[in-house]
Amino acid sequence: MRRGERAAGLAALALTGAGAVLLAAAILLELGGISLQAELWTAAGAGAAFLLALAGPAATGARRFAGRGRLLAAAGISALIAVAALWQGSVRPDPEVLLLLIPVALLFATAGLALREAAVERRRAWIDQARWRLDGAEAERRRWARDLHDDTLQALAAVQVLLATPGGAEAAREIVGGQIQSLRRIIAQMRPLALDALGLAAALEDLARHARDRDGLDVEAAVDGLPRLPAAAESAVYRIVQEALTNAVRHAGAARVRIEAGPRGPDLRVVVRDDGCGPPAGGFTAGHGLHGMRERAELLGAQLHVAAAGSRGTEVRLDLPVPGI
């Protein structure tokens, strides 16, 4: 966030706090019947503070509409108290004062619309996340089905033919040995055994070794000294690095990749940097798995950054808060 936006955000937060204090004071003055004049100006000041806070930088999506809805509702309550104090303080109540209830009603109506829009945005975000999860799961199933069909089933068919041929047992044994390795690779993609047995560092080194052997990629893993994390966190970090490696091979055409992981202040920083063609000009698509990576990061309360790595390549950086690291 730029310095100007940060200052505007702090100003909006201060105005919201001041409005809340003034509104609470106006309510106490109303309940105590102490001073209608003080109640009028306190409520008016609260409403003005809430409306000025609306000019601050807004969040995105549902949070934006929900925040505006709450500020408008608070401004409406403040205005209602001010109108009530003005009515009660008149020596001869003027019916025209009641016309001030029209903007009060508009404030409440606008607040209701904003809160309704926030609910719609939350629903839309939930649907998008569910779609990303389903798309990711379906892509995984398609890849496993393709691997099993194109590799394992074809090899088993060849074994069947060889076993029916005199002297074909040795060739069949070699094919079976190769398929054992292939199935181990598929199982590792589904759930790496090293992650449960040895931890994240060993699993990332194993992932790098498989990328070197399978794809001919020059992968360097600098992950020594990683602390053990909760199982869900280790799994999410592993999947993010795995997806970044897949993108480096499939989309970026990279020849070299470096994986770094280690403490950085209160966070665990994980970086995957390749020397490929860099981020696509038209932005990332669903095929890059970026939605799934961001979703995993959000579930961990982590920050994920994907950007160009200098003049060439892509850098995926994950900053994961780890208490006591």
Side-chain angles (χ1 to χ4, degrees):
M1 183 182 293
R2 291 174 295 183
R3 184 175 300 177
E5 291 179 351
R6 184 176 301 172
L10 291 174
L13 186 62
L15 285 168
T16 303
V21 171
L22 290 172
L23 178 57
I27 293 173
L28 291 176
L29 289 170
E30 170 66 22
L31 294 176
I34 300 172
S35 170
L36 292 174
Q37 190 74 8
E39 178 185 336
L40 168 63
W41 288 108
T42 303
F50 289 129
L51 292 176
L52 287 173
L54 285 170
T60 58
R63 291 179 58 191
R64 172 176 176 265
F65 289 106
R68 290 186 176 278
R70 287 190 290 267
L71 287 173
L72 287 166
I77 294 171
S78 302
L80 184 61
I81 294 174
V83 171
L86 183 62
W87 173 266
Q88 295 173 28
S90 302
V91 177
R92 180 184 298 175
D94 187 352
E96 292 183 358
V97 173
L98 298 179
L99 294 175
L100 295 175
L101 292 176
I102 295 176
V104 174
L106 289 175
L107 284 172
F108 282 120
T110 308
L113 290 173
L115 293 173
R116 183 169 177 266
E117 191 63 29
V120 172
E121 284 291 324
R122 280 193 291 268
R123 174 70 177 174
R124 186 179 295 120
W126 181 85
I127 291 173
D128 288 342
Q129 289 177 0
R131 184 183 299 114
W132 295 336
R133 283 194 294 268
L134 290 174
D135 289 346
E138 191 60 32
E140 287 289 320
R141 293 189 186 99
R142 283 197 299 269
R143 184 165 68 245
W144 295 334
R146 185 172 58 251
D147 288 345
L148 290 172
H149 179 272
D150 295 345
D151 193 5
T152 304
L153 289 181
Q154 298 293 333
L156 289 176
V159 168
Q160 187 179 32
V161 172
L162 288 170
L163 290 177
T165 304
E170 185 62 30
R173 188 180 298 112
E174 292 180 2
I175 293 175
V176 170
Q179 287 311 300
I180 289 174
Q181 296 300 321
S182 178
L183 288 174
R184 283 176 175 168
R185 175 177 57 81
I186 294 175
I187 292 170
Q189 289 178 347
M190 296 174 65
R191 177 65 186 181
L193 300 178
L195 193 59
D196 295 323
L198 303 175
L200 181 59
L204 292 178
E205 290 174 346
D206 191 55
L207 182 64
R209 183 170 58 256
H210 279 300
R212 285 193 293 266
D213 296 340
R214 183 181 67 247
D215 304 311
L217 199 64
D218 182 6
V219 185
E220 180 184 0
V223 294
D224 294 336
L226 278 182
R228 288 305 302 258
L229 303 173
E234 289 190 338
S235 179
V237 172
Y238 180 89
R239 293 302 183 191
I240 290 172
V241 174
Q242 185 182 45
E243 192 64 46
L245 272 176
T246 300
N247 287 339
V249 175
R250 185 179 300 169
H251 302 291
R256 300 186 62 186
V257 178
R258 178 175 173 82
I259 303 171
E260 301 173 1
R264 187 178 180 88
D267 297 340
L268 172 66
R269 171 164 289 185
V270 181
V271 178
V272 181
R273 188 182 298 107
D274 66 57
D275 65 349
C277 61
F284 291 97
T285 64
H288 294 88
L290 188 60
H291 291 312
M293 295 166 70
R294 291 198 184 282
E295 185 179 43
R296 293 181 192 277
E298 288 174 2
L299 289 174
L300 294 175
Q303 296 292 324
L304 181 73
H305 305 274
V306 182
S311 59
R312 181 174 175 83
T314 303
E315 179 180 284
V316 177
R317 187 176 79 246
L318 179 75
D319 290 312
L320 172 64
V322 179
I325 193 171

